[in-house]
Amino acid sequence: MAKIISGKEVSAKVRAEVKAECEQLKAKGIHPGLAVIIVGDDPASRVYVNNKKKACAEVGFVSEEYALPAETTQEELLALVEQLNNKPEINGILCQLPLPKHLDEKAVINAISPMKDVDAFHPSNVGRIMIGDYHFLPCTPAGVMEMVHSEGIEVSGKNCVVIGRSNIVGKPMAMLLLHENGTVTICHSRTQNLKEICSNADILVAAVGRPKFVKADMVKEGAVVLDVGINRDENGKLCGDVDFDEVAPKASYITPVPGGVGPMTIAMLMKNTLKAAKIQNFH
Ligand code: NAD
């Protein structure tokens, strides 16, 4: 039976470290601040934004919320981003995605100052990740790596398979595993022989967005299985991309959903915001 890597525990440790460092910064007169922009009234986005604000309060950051109506124009949104880029008390800017259809997400991401881009979505930060010379890592893949490190799991030389190639999760995830000398395969919706490829993985990351997609026959005995998915099953219950009950007996380590990668993402956002505050004040 696999050891369960608890995102609740690992993320609490990360938040405690951030909090301790935040106190040291405050003693020097620096008060880290995160601005969160939310446009419209998507209920899932509202939950995420509330959780981010709660995490800021817990670690001692200032958080500012900018809740804009769904009919906000592109110009208004870009003007707000520009204002926050120039606001010294704000170290990190995050625009909760998805945006309403009439708004251009790419333009908004590009408008955020790369030094305040704590989601690491700006092309300049994405490029930096590619060459391994980065300020910020994208929160979800960084959270997955933090869980791997928390158990002392060695990546070097291992067969790593990432299912999913999104810009937010799959691609940067593959890059972080490569940085640690994994032999990485990225699978996606057009991949052939998915089962065969996955069953060769020593480390398998699922970022597909399909409930219980990864079954036991896709997993090698003793593999490390990391589940990024957040889905609802047929009964409306929260579940991952991995069929936990089937896969857990076969894996050596597994992350649960809920209580796995989810809480790590916000903890890593706190870590990035702290780093942004340090860079902006000491460099
Ligand atoms: P996405 O829809 O952008 O990407 C899904 C990827 O899965 C695509 O690259 C696609 O090619 C691949 N895919 C789809 N069907 C497939 C199939 N049959 N076989 C192989 N590959 C297939 O999703 P995303 O934004 O990368 O998110 C993935 C999952 O992770 C979602 O459940 C999302 O809710 C979750 N997520 C969780 C967090 C977190 O904090 N834990 C953060 C972001 C996303």
Side-chain angles (χ1 to χ4, degrees):
M1 185 72 181
K3 177 166 185 202
I4 295 173
I5 313 178
S6 165
K8 277 190 200 155
E9 282 170 25
V10 183
S11 69
K13 197 164 159 266
V14 172
R15 289 196 308 272
E17 286 163 7
V18 172
K19 184 177 179 181
E21 263 205 76
C22 179
E23 273 160 19
Q24 290 172 10
L25 284 183
K26 281 189 197 164
K28 294 180 184 151
I30 297 160
H31 207 141
L34 176 70
V36 182
I37 305 171
I38 174 168
V39 187
D41 42 21
D42 177 59
S45 292
R46 174 40 63 198
V47 172
Y48 290 135
V49 166
N50 287 348
N51 288 341
K52 287 167 187 176
K53 279 165 59 187
K54 229 163 53 193
C56 281
E58 187 196 329
V59 300
F61 293 171
V62 172
S63 72
E64 293 183 356
E65 180 186 311
Y66 294 85
L68 306 180
E71 54 281 4
T72 300
T73 65
Q74 183 77 13
E75 291 68 33
E76 286 165 337
L77 183 53
L78 292 178
L80 172 61
V81 169
E82 191 52 28
Q83 184 195 321
L84 295 170
N85 281 342
N86 295 318
K87 189 169 181 179
E89 307 85 66
I90 289 300
N91 306 113
I93 304 169
L94 177 156
C95 184
Q96 187 66 44
L97 303 179
L99 290 172
K101 294 245 176 322
H102 68 282
L103 295 171
D104 179 356
E105 285 187 358
K106 221 197 262 177
V108 176
I109 290 171
N110 289 352
I112 295 175
S113 158
M115 301 312 288
K116 295 191 176 185
D117 169 40
V118 285
D119 264 336
F121 292 166
H122 191 286
S124 124
N125 286 325
V126 174
R128 282 181 163 273
I129 291 157
M130 188 83 164
I131 57 174
D133 171 25
Y134 45 78
H135 303 298
F136 311 116
L137 290 177
C139 301
T140 301
V144 172
M145 293 313 291
E146 192 79 26
M147 295 178 100
V148 167
H149 297 152
S150 75
E151 293 292 339
I153 296 164
E154 186 64 52
V155 175
S156 182
K158 298 280 172 61
N159 267 337
C160 304
V161 173
V162 179
I163 321 177
R165 58 171 161 187
S166 71
N167 289 333
I168 293 175
V169 189
K171 280 188 214 164
M173 187 72 247
M175 205 48 65
L176 300 197
L177 291 163
L178 183 62
H179 286 167
E180 297 198 12
N181 302 313
T183 302
V184 185
T185 306
I186 305 176
C187 297
H188 48 78
S189 50
R190 306 281 179 91
T191 297
Q192 293 178 8
N193 309 325
L194 183 71
K195 196 196 284 188
E196 193 188 319
I197 297 168
C198 292
S199 29
N200 267 321
D202 302 307
I203 298 177
L204 179 64
V205 183
V208 195
R210 291 176 180 231
K212 303 182 186 175
F213 179 82
V214 175
K215 302 288 181 191
D217 63 359
M218 295 165 73
V219 175
K220 180 171 154 180
E221 196 74 48
V224 175
V225 180
L226 305 155
D227 190 352
V228 179
I230 302 179
N231 315 293
R232 298 268 168 198
D233 70 9
E234 60 282 5
N235 304 314
K237 226 178 106 196
L238 217 54
C239 73
D241 288 344
V242 175
D243 191 327
F244 186 92
D245 294 339
E246 260 197 26
V247 171
K250 226 176 158 184
S252 57
Y253 292 91
I254 193 165
T255 64
V257 179
V261 177
M264 292 306 301
T265 298
I266 294 188
M268 302 318 279
L269 174 69
M270 299 298 111
K271 208 169 166 173
N272 280 350
T273 305
L274 181 82
K275 189 162 187 199
K278 289 199 281 190
I279 293 172
Q280 286 158 42
N281 284 284
F282 299 128
H283 287 266

